[in-house]
Amino acid sequence: MNKNSLLTTYDKDLRMRIMYPEARREITGDVVRFIRKAPGMNFVSFTFANEPNLERVIDRELEYFTPMNQPFTWKVYDHDLLPSLEMKLMERNFVTDDDPATVMVLDVSDAPAYLFEPTAMDIRRVTSRDGLKDIIHVLDGVYGGHNSWVNERMGGHLQVPGYLSMYAAYVDDEPVSVAWTYFPRGHFATLFGGTTLPKYRNRGLYTTLLSVRLTEIRERGYPFAVVETGDMSRPIVTKHGFQHLTTVYDYEWARN
């Protein structure tokens, strides 16, 4: 599949047709949008409108979302054929995304063979709400605070058969690195996490968790794995065969 065809499939699977258990999808003639219960983040995932209609569409969406009194983002991708969308969003008090994510994709059939070799590391699958405490332990250690949102969101997602697979790596029975995969309908399994406590980095834990997840992705028949990366993870996945697909920017509306 060439890149243009892959982008078209990506848009259909992960921006238009995707469903989230905790959100309501609405498709209008102008956008695809997702609505969560307050105080969750609502967002526009795809813009159908063409350039001459953008101002009208943005204003209409603001009229729709403003009364909800919830945070609201508009997703913009490098491959969207809407060159003025970002400028028009900023003119309406959307905040520029200073930390865009690079979307990287791997054709699982072309993945290096070593990624499917067995590992001697202590990797465990988290299958229950009780096991989420280990996920939170690592996230708290890396990002600070208490990431209790994991209990509600991911606890709910674990109840959906086949939708979410979560893994933790352990050293001396302590959880030190975590990662997970979502399996929406379509061609793409989506990778998240790969978060490791600082003192345990550079030990191959990220790669091992990637290998475990790619093995499951291949076994479940998904042709592609996709991940949104930052500066730290991008070189690692590139080394393992992932290729740049696009870049995504989240423009968050700042209320007047």
Side-chain angles (χ1 to χ4, degrees), residues 64 153 167 200:
Y64 178 79
R153 182 181 300 178
Y167 296 91
Y200 295 98

Side-chain angles (χ1 to χ4, degrees), residues 114-121:
Y114 66 80
L115 287 174
F116 301 103
E117 295 175 356
T119 178
M121 291 186 178

Side-chain angles (χ1 to χ4, degrees), residues 27 29 38 44 78 92 98 115 119-120 169 222 230 243:
I27 302 176
V44 169
D78 269 353
R92 286 158 177 78
D98 292 326
L115 287 174
T119 178
Y222 278 74
Q243 297 182 347

Side-chain angles (χ1 to χ4, degrees), residues 84-216:
S84 71
L85 177 56
E86 293 176 83
M87 179 188 69
K88 287 180 167 57
L89 288 171
M90 288 187 288
E91 288 173 352
R92 286 158 177 78
N93 218 30
F94 283 82
V95 178
T96 305
D97 188 348
D98 292 326
D99 189 26
T102 302
V103 180
M104 306 288 288
V105 66
L106 175 70
D107 184 331
V108 177
S109 66
D110 292 335
Y114 66 80
L115 287 174
F116 301 103
E117 295 175 356
T119 178
M121 291 186 178
D122 185 1
I123 308 296
R124 308 176 197 174
R125 185 165 176 177
V126 175
T127 59
S128 67
R129 286 180 180 268
D130 182 64
L132 293 177
K133 65 181 184 298
D134 290 348
I135 305 294
I136 293 172
H137 171 79
V138 175
L139 295 180
D140 288 353
V142 173
Y143 301 114
H146 188 66
N147 291 269
S148 57
W149 60 270
V150 168
N151 286 315
E152 180 175 357
R153 182 181 300 178
M154 294 183 173
H157 291 174
L158 283 173
Q159 305 306 307
V160 180
Y163 180 56
L164 171 63
S165 292
M166 307 191 75
Y167 296 91
Y170 295 77
V171 174
D172 297 329
D173 213 34
E174 176 192 359
V176 299
S177 186
V178 296
W180 54 94
T181 310
Y182 281 102
F183 293 90
R185 291 182 180 180
H187 301 77
F188 299 89
T190 58
L191 303 173
F192 292 87
T195 306
T196 304
L197 294 175
K199 67 181 288 188
Y200 295 98
R201 290 173 184 165
N202 301 312
R203 299 191 185 188
L205 292 167
Y206 184 104
T207 299
T208 299
L209 285 170
L210 177 64
S211 297
V212 170
R213 289 178 293 160
L214 286 175
T215 298
E216 181 184 10

Side-chain angles (χ1 to χ4, degrees), residues 6-7 9 17 23 48 61 65 76 82 92 98 133 248:
L6 193 58
L7 284 168
T9 304
R17 297 173 178 169
F48 293 112
E61 293 306 305
F65 280 107
V76 180
L82 298 168
R92 286 158 177 78
D98 292 326
K133 65 181 184 298
V248 56

